[in-house]
Amino acid sequence: MTDEEFINTKTELESRLVYAYSTYYNELPEAEGEALKEAQKAWIDCYYSYVSALEQRWLEPVKIFFGVTGKERRTNVYREFILLLLTNRITDLEEWNAGEFAEIEDAFAPFKKSELEKEKEQLQVDMGLCLYVIQEEYRQKIKAAHKKFFTFLESDERFISLITNENEIIITAEGLLQVQRMSYLTSVHYQGCRFFRREREE
């Protein structure tokens, strides 16, 4: 993807995001609409915080390796991270507006709730690893972006709780989806951090 292609794709996704949000917001009753507005504000804060953090250093393609043969690949961490953040949020807004929410089977709900808490903890560990392996001058913005994701997660949970009449199964399923997405993106970021650390040590 060239610089021009990236900018065009990012701009198109941002426009689609505005449309998806506005369309859904206008369909909601007042209380639900206000909850969505708060969640969207938290998401935007998170999004721009990651933009600011990642564009400092991760503009060139790097090789990432997940420890699994065949999964090695080269990617631009900044571009992949930002485009997936946009795509995921658009998908959420469009699906919610269509009445579609993440689901899990009732029998597995207690296990999934426990899994969600464990994955939140693991995500915090993984985020910490990103801070550990990168130079100090980049850490403050990255740390701020990590914090804003969890602020968004709480705000998003409040909205899902309201829109689903406190359906714990859907709340858990949606929360798990958000955390798993960020876990993947954080793993890509971590691999990029490791690349630059190896480069610096070599």
Side-chain angles (χ1 to χ4, degrees):
M1 180 180 286
T2 65
D3 290 346
E4 183 178 0
E5 288 171 337
F6 168 69
I7 293 299
N8 289 341
T9 301
K10 178 173 173 286
T11 301
E12 289 173 4
L13 287 173
E14 288 174 339
S15 296
R16 184 177 163 191
L17 175 66
V18 171
Y19 178 79
Y21 166 74
S22 299
T23 301
Y24 189 32
Y25 176 79
N26 290 330
E27 293 290 331
L28 293 171
E30 184 176 358
E32 287 85 343
E34 286 303 306
L36 178 63
K37 182 188 292 186
E38 289 301 313
Q40 187 69 2
K41 181 180 182 298
W43 183 89
I44 289 171
D45 286 345
C46 176
Y47 170 71
Y48 281 110
S49 187
Y50 270 108
V51 168
S52 178
L54 297 179
E55 69 182 358
Q56 300 174 99
R57 183 70 163 109
W58 289 273
L59 294 175
E60 297 299 324
V62 298
K63 184 176 182 180
I64 60 175
F65 177 67
F66 294 100
V68 179
T69 301
K71 291 196 70 174
E72 308 93 334
R73 61 188 175 89
R74 289 183 65 80
T75 188
N76 181 297
V77 173
Y78 167 71
R79 290 179 182 177
E80 181 168 345
F81 206 111
I82 296 307
L83 294 183
L84 274 175
L85 272 182
L86 287 165
T87 301
N88 289 339
R89 189 58 179 170
I90 292 166
T91 299
D92 286 341
L93 293 168
E94 291 179 344
E95 290 186 350
W96 295 342
N97 195 21
E100 301 171 3
F101 294 89
E103 296 181 0
I104 50 180
E105 294 184 26
D106 292 5
F108 295 105
F111 303 101
K112 291 296 182 181
K113 193 163 187 177
S114 175
E115 180 181 341
L116 173 58
E117 293 308 311
K118 290 179 181 177
E119 293 210 17
K120 282 182 182 179
E121 292 174 3
Q122 185 59 51
L123 176 57
Q124 289 178 320
V125 170
D126 294 341
M127 287 174 166
L129 289 174
C130 289
L131 297 174
Y132 174 74
V133 298
I134 198 61
Q135 297 101 307
E136 186 174 353
E137 64 262 34
Y138 301 114
R139 289 177 187 164
Q140 197 57 43
K141 285 187 175 182
I142 295 169
K143 188 176 181 179
H146 292 168
K147 183 178 180 180
K148 288 187 177 182
F149 169 74
F150 284 100
T151 299
F152 155 69
L153 191 64
E154 292 177 2
S155 185
D156 200 55
E157 182 178 310
R158 288 194 292 271
F159 169 70
I160 296 298
S161 177
L162 185 60
I163 202 69
T164 63
N165 295 315
E166 300 183 359
N167 186 315
E168 289 294 333
I169 293 176
I170 296 178
I171 294 168
T172 299
E174 286 287 345
L176 192 57
L177 177 61
Q178 298 297 337
V179 171
Q180 288 172 341
R181 286 170 172 170
M182 184 54 71
S183 292
Y184 168 75
L185 289 172
T186 301
S187 70
V188 172
H189 184 195
Y190 172 65
Q191 290 295 326
C193 292
R194 287 186 64 198
F195 174 90
F196 286 112
R197 180 168 184 166
R198 289 195 305 270
E199 183 184 65
R200 188 171 69 250
E201 291 174 348
E202 292 172 359

